[in-house]
Amino acid sequence: MQNTIRIVGIDPGLRRTGWGIIDTLGNSLRFVASGTVTSGGDLDLASRLCQLHDGLAEVVHAYKPDEAAVEQTFVNKDAVATLKLGQARGIAMLVPARAGLQVSEYAPNAVKKAVIGVGHGEKHQIHMMLKILMPKVEFKGDDAADALAIAICHAHNRGSNRMRQALAG
């Protein structure tokens, strides 16, 4: 007998961190909630990271997910921006880990492949596939949509991730 698994997907960003919650039972996916945690651009970095932490902690506390998935950071040409994104990603991994959740990481291309079937695609393709996969889905903005896509990617890959972790441990 299978149990429903609740997954939180997190799309880290310093200004906007998207989050999406889905339930999965076998191969079925059900939309639960999505949103964005924002930080004040006029605040110092530490205060912004605190805002992201507190906002994500509220989400994890309210929805009580069983597992978490976070998008891996890509490196861009601006080293300072990449470093700041890495700090936001650290918060995105810390919050669910502190709540006792297993945190999996996925490359952006793996997320797109899981949702639209190819590793490269446009935002509108992700939005369209989310609506097909979960007809009751609601999201405001790309960050929340990306977070839902990350959760779906994890739903499709969670069995192989558990096997890899068991072999490594």
Side-chain angles (χ1 to χ4, degrees):
M1 184 172 186
Q2 294 180 333
N3 293 324
T4 299
I5 303 296
R6 180 160 286 181
I7 300 168
V8 58
I10 304 172
D11 180 33
L14 188 57
R15 288 188 186 125
R16 291 176 309 279
T17 290
W19 58 270
I21 310 280
I22 64 169
D23 285 343
T24 181
L25 177 61
N27 290 330
S28 69
L29 302 171
R30 186 177 68 82
F31 169 75
V32 176
S34 69
T36 306
V37 177
T38 58
S39 71
D42 56 336
L43 298 176
D44 62 278
L45 180 60
S47 297
R48 294 176 77 185
L49 293 172
C50 283
Q51 286 179 325
L52 295 177
H53 175 278
D54 294 348
L56 282 176
E58 286 178 26
V59 169
V60 168
H61 178 74
Y63 292 99
K64 300 184 180 2
D66 301 301
E67 298 176 7
V70 176
E71 189 170 67
Q72 291 176 339
T73 303
F74 61 91
V75 178
N76 60 38
K77 294 176 184 170
D78 182 354
V80 173
T82 300
L83 183 59
K84 288 180 181 178
L85 177 59
Q87 292 168 326
R89 189 168 167 277
I91 297 296
M93 295 179 70
L94 172 70
V95 169
R98 295 279 303 175
L101 305 182
Q102 182 70 39
V103 181
S104 297
E105 302 173 63
Y106 297 95
N109 288 349
V111 173
K112 289 177 183 170
K113 188 170 185 176
V115 176
I116 62 176
V118 292
H120 300 282
E122 303 297 323
K123 297 285 186 187
H124 74 276
Q125 291 174 297
I126 292 173
H127 294 195
M128 182 181 68
M129 282 306 295
L130 288 174
K131 292 175 183 173
I132 291 170
L133 293 169
M134 298 179 299
K136 296 182 181 181
V137 72
E138 297 175 16
F139 54 86
K140 292 183 182 174
D142 291 341
D143 302 299
D146 288 350
L148 287 165
I150 294 160
I152 291 169
C153 179
H154 180 65
H156 291 312
N157 291 287
R158 59 186 296 277
S160 60
N161 280 351
R162 281 199 317 270
M163 175 99 47
R164 263 187 254 120
Q165 290 165 353
L167 292 172

